[in-house]
Amino acid sequence: MPKRVSIGIVTSDKASKTRRVEIPRLVRHAKYGKFLHRRTVCHVHDENNDAKLGDTVEIVESQPRSKLKRWELVRVVSRSQVVDIAAMRARIRAKEAEATQRAEV
């Protein structure tokens, strides 16, 4: 039997060598016919800690590694484009402070 391969988004990278990946899907309601957004959560083994929060990854089924981990990371499809606004503002403030110090001297 072939192993299942899926593509999902990393929603947690806090544990070492483990990533939480969500696979979104649409399900049609049996009675009303409305399409509902559902998600499948997979805990993935990431040996080299390659994937980061927000990355799109490809995963494959594997033998159980722990109570929850049943998947392995194949590759990172695309990196996250999320910008850390707090860090960006801190850099801008530091540059402004440095410029005012130069102006005073």
Side-chain angles (χ1 to χ4, degrees):
M1 185 172 186
K3 295 182 179 183
R4 290 185 294 174
V5 177
S6 295
I7 293 178
I9 299 168
V10 177
T11 56
S12 176
D13 62 351
K14 295 181 180 179
S16 178
K17 297 187 179 183
T18 301
R19 302 291 177 259
R20 182 179 184 266
V21 176
E22 288 186 1
I23 303 167
R25 57 192 169 92
L26 285 176
V27 177
R28 186 175 174 154
H29 192 278
K31 183 174 182 180
Y32 299 112
K34 180 179 179 178
F35 285 97
L36 306 171
H37 291 275
R38 295 287 180 244
R39 65 178 175 240
T40 302
V41 175
C42 302
H43 293 267
V44 179
H45 181 72
D46 182 6
E47 184 65 34
N48 300 322
N49 291 324
D50 292 331
K52 302 296 178 201
L53 185 67
D55 291 351
T56 303
V57 294
E58 183 177 353
I59 58 177
V60 65
E61 243 180 343
S62 68
Q63 291 181 339
R65 290 186 176 261
S66 67
K67 179 181 175 182
L68 296 175
K69 286 202 286 190
R70 304 290 193 271
W71 296 82
E72 286 181 5
L73 180 73
V74 176
R75 67 188 175 102
V76 176
V77 177
S78 65
R79 295 286 177 189
S80 174
Q81 300 297 321
V82 177
V83 177
D84 187 3
I85 304 234
M88 197 165 68
R89 287 181 180 158
R91 271 187 263 130
I92 291 170
R93 281 191 213 114
K95 286 181 183 178
E96 289 173 354
E98 186 178 309
T100 55
Q101 286 178 354
R102 287 183 186 168
E104 290 175 358
V105 175

